[in-house]
Amino acid sequence: MDVLIAGAARALASGDPLAALNQVALRDDAPALALRGIAMAQLGDFARANALLREAARAFGAAHPVARARCVVAEAEVALASRDLAWPEKSLAAARATLAAQGDSVNAAHAAYLQARRLLLLGRLDEASLALADVDALDLPVASRAVHELIAGGIALRRARAQEAAETLARAEHAARQSGIPALMAEVDHAMQALHAVAARQVTPDGARDLTLAEVEALLASPALIVDACRNVVRQGAQTVSLASRPLLFSLARLLAEAWPKDVTREFLIARAFRTGFQDDSHRVRLRVEIGRLRAALQPLAAVTATPDGFALRPHADVAMVVLARPLDVADRDHAAVLACLVDGQAWSSSALALALGASQRTVQRALDALAASGKAHALGHGRARRWMTPAVPAFTTSLLLPTLMPGQ
């Protein structure tokens, strides 16, 4: 290992990409290419970073499997940072296995963290927890321990476990400050802000109020029947009915819940759920059909009863009914339906959103552009392959903490 390569690796491990580039910017050997790639990723030039890392992996070749595996891990982290979630999971898993077999526990753990972060972005919380549980962080450097706790805190935030999230993020903050890496400390600070920010709105017949994550956790633990507009589900205790893939039924359920214990007229339901100012017999027939589907879906938790003027939602148990809504700014409320679809953590195309919402693709695209401008949504890919998602909680940046990337180690 030469002095310049070692110095550049140390600079990258401490979060100083410019110092690293000062030492290897003019070199084209495999270790220098890899370190330049990581430095460019830390600076936000993901396209150039990918090109350099791929070139480095080819240059290392089969003679240096560990260094080549580290390049694959770095490529995966660049893809994650740029929200390109289509990168091959098998390649990352193979690289992780190579690193573990060769005794590089730090970078093997880093590969596992990338897998967990990707799963967290996709809303697959159980799988993310399993990926994280495979890593023993006790013997890892403080930076790796900070990442471990940060991901665990993100999972707790998504599960609305405020106390667990606070404890985990406190450990992440302590480890991040010990590491002295600015990017990592910024990630933890962002997660802390999410922990203490307004998490949802509680809507009842008496009005609406903002809730913190701790208050959301308490509400979810209560016996109330909750129409959760953050995830498009209806829940009571451990029982959950998901309507995430049926936005029209969820819209009807929310309208009925917001009026509870009163009923909602057929005309109002048609106007709001079907988004039409014109009504005829076909709309009334369609409403009866959709109400029948909603009645069947909610049968474990509540009944949908007909009244002389319309319909009413009646919980089976003698409990309160609450609507849990997203804490939207006034400017974003016009796009609440689009956000409700995006919140499931999956990547949606604009055409799929238009189909699900019964709106034109141009209308949906305008809403997506407005949400992207306010930071409420972001795009993955280009052209026909473009997909849209909401930012994850926490919104991970890339810290690219690979401490070394040398051949033959």
Side-chain angles (χ1 to χ4, degrees):
M1 180 192 312
D2 64 55
V3 175
L4 291 179
I5 292 294
R10 284 193 297 270
L12 289 176
S14 64
D16 190 353
L18 294 178
L21 286 175
N22 281 338
Q23 301 184 67
V24 296
L26 300 180
R27 292 178 50 168
D28 290 322
D29 53 301
L33 288 171
L35 293 172
R36 284 168 56 195
I38 295 176
M40 295 308 296
Q42 288 188 3
L43 293 171
D45 189 345
F46 298 132
R48 182 59 179 153
N50 263 326
L52 287 167
L53 289 168
R54 288 173 184 169
E55 190 176 350
R58 287 193 298 268
F60 279 125
H64 302 291
V66 174
R68 189 173 184 179
R70 290 171 180 164
C71 288
V72 173
V73 174
E75 279 187 70
E77 186 161 14
V78 171
L80 181 69
S82 57
R83 298 304 185 256
D84 177 10
L85 305 183
W87 44 266
E89 293 182 74
K90 291 182 179 179
S91 298
L92 181 60
R96 178 186 173 189
T98 298
L99 293 168
Q102 297 294 326
D104 188 353
S105 58
V106 174
N107 285 313
H110 197 66
Y113 294 154
L114 293 178
Q115 291 174 316
R117 285 184 169 195
R118 179 180 181 274
L119 293 167
L120 179 57
L121 277 176
L122 295 174
R124 292 152 58 179
L125 304 185
D126 291 339
E127 295 176 60
S129 295
L130 289 175
L132 201 61
D134 286 341
V135 182
D136 183 3
L138 292 178
D139 296 328
L140 295 176
V142 288
S144 296
R145 294 203 301 271
V147 173
H148 186 104
E149 299 293 354
L150 185 59
I151 299 171
I155 294 171
L157 284 170
R158 290 288 290 271
R159 285 177 168 163
R161 296 175 181 173
Q163 184 60 36
E164 179 184 339
E167 294 171 356
T168 306
L169 291 176
R171 293 194 295 269
E173 183 177 33
H174 178 70
R177 303 213 178 282
Q178 281 187 308
S179 74
I181 299 175
L184 189 53
M185 289 188 283
E187 289 191 47
V188 177
D189 288 343
H190 185 90
M192 285 291 191
Q193 292 172 16
L195 176 62
H196 298 295
V198 173
R201 285 185 304 127
Q202 178 182 339
V203 183
T204 66
D206 299 326
R209 71 183 185 93
D210 291 336
L211 301 178
T212 64
L213 189 69
E215 291 172 320
V216 171
E217 182 180 22
L219 179 62
L220 295 178
S222 73
L225 181 65
I226 301 169
V227 177
D228 186 349
C230 298
R231 291 175 174 81
N232 279 21
V233 301
V234 181
R235 65 174 84 228
Q236 183 181 19
Q239 284 188 292
T240 300
V241 174
S242 176
L243 299 175
S245 61
R246 308 173 78 177
L248 179 57
L249 294 191
F250 183 81
S251 178
L252 290 171
R254 179 171 178 175
L255 291 170
L256 294 172
E258 288 180 345
W260 178 86
K262 299 178 181 178
D263 63 352
V264 183
T265 66
R266 291 170 176 83
E267 291 74 20
F268 186 79
L269 289 172
I270 291 171
R272 292 292 298 275
F274 300 159
R275 300 186 181 188
T276 178
F278 169 77
Q279 300 183 19
D280 58 19
D281 289 341
S282 67
H283 292 98
R284 297 181 184 90
V285 170
R286 184 185 177 194
L287 178 63
R288 286 198 299 271
V289 171
E290 299 299 343
I291 287 291
R293 291 171 177 166
L294 180 64
R295 184 180 289 121
L298 297 184
Q299 193 278 328
L301 300 176
V304 182
T305 60
T307 67
D309 295 323
F311 296 94
L313 194 57
R314 305 286 185 231
H316 292 324
D318 184 16
V319 295
M321 184 174 297
V322 176
V323 174
L324 192 64
R326 292 176 62 90
L328 300 179
D329 299 328
V330 173
D332 295 327
R333 288 177 186 167
D334 291 340
H335 314 309
V338 175
L339 279 171
C341 289
L342 294 177
V343 81
D344 65 357
Q346 301 299 319
W348 290 73
S349 66
S350 58
S351 59
L353 285 168
L355 185 63
L357 298 173
S360 71
Q361 192 165 344
R362 171 175 276 184
T363 299
V364 169
Q365 189 60 56
R366 281 199 297 265
L368 290 169
D369 289 340
L371 292 171
S374 61
K376 301 293 191 304
H378 61 256
L380 316 170
H382 302 280
R384 294 177 64 87
R386 172 166 287 194
R387 297 294 184 268
W388 292 85
M389 296 178 66
T390 53
V393 179
F396 287 125
T397 58
T398 177
S399 50
L400 291 163
L401 299 174
L402 296 175
T404 57
L405 200 54
M406 314 302 166
Q409 292 188 357

